[in-house]
Amino acid sequence: QVHLVESGGGLVQPGGSLRLSCVASGRIFSLKVAGWYRQAPGKQRELVATINSGGSTNYADSVKGRFTISRDNANKTVYLQMNSLKPGDTAVYYCNAGVLMADGTSLREGDYWGQGTQVTVSS
């Protein structure tokens, strides 16, 4: 089994910063493309940022210049650094990753989601 465990959410004032972490556990050979999504009340889940195995990134226009996605391959962890937070960033944030899993002498691929972590930006 593979699990993604998120942490780092909470309450922050406008203009503040948070760093979200997502740690993958299990019989994992490597992480492939990974990303962060968010969902606000009454809205559809939307893509925030992605990062591939080579470190290439892309971002939603709404967060460019404020958020940074990164990864630590040795620790199987993906991060989202969020700066200059706005009330509109309030949402549940989810991590997602494609995973290469070690099964005996073979590798197989799977896709997994974290449980979500609440980010609230308010004064």
Side-chain angles (χ1 to χ4, degrees), residues 37-58:
Y37 296 74
R38 67 187 183 186
Q39 187 168 22
K43 297 187 66 177
Q44 185 177 350
R45 187 175 299 185
E46 64 176 346
L47 177 67
V48 176
T50 62
I51 182 168
N52 70 13
S53 59
S56 296
T57 61
N58 64 76

Side-chain angles (χ1 to χ4, degrees), residues 96-115:
N96 170 260
V99 176
L100 287 176
M101 296 167 284
D103 289 327
T105 60
S106 300
L107 299 176
R108 65 185 182 92
E109 185 175 350
D111 185 75
Y112 293 88
W113 288 87
Q115 79 287 351

Side-chain angles (χ1 to χ4, degrees), residues 7 19-23 34-36 49 51 59 68-73 75-82:
S7 62
R19 189 175 78 155
L20 306 183
S21 300
C22 180
V23 180
W36 288 91
I51 182 168
Y59 298 90
T68 302
I69 188 170
S70 61
R71 60 194 292 160
D72 181 343
N73 290 326
N75 292 304
K76 306 296 189 293
T77 304
V78 182
Y79 302 97
L80 185 68
Q81 178 67 46
M82 304 185 295

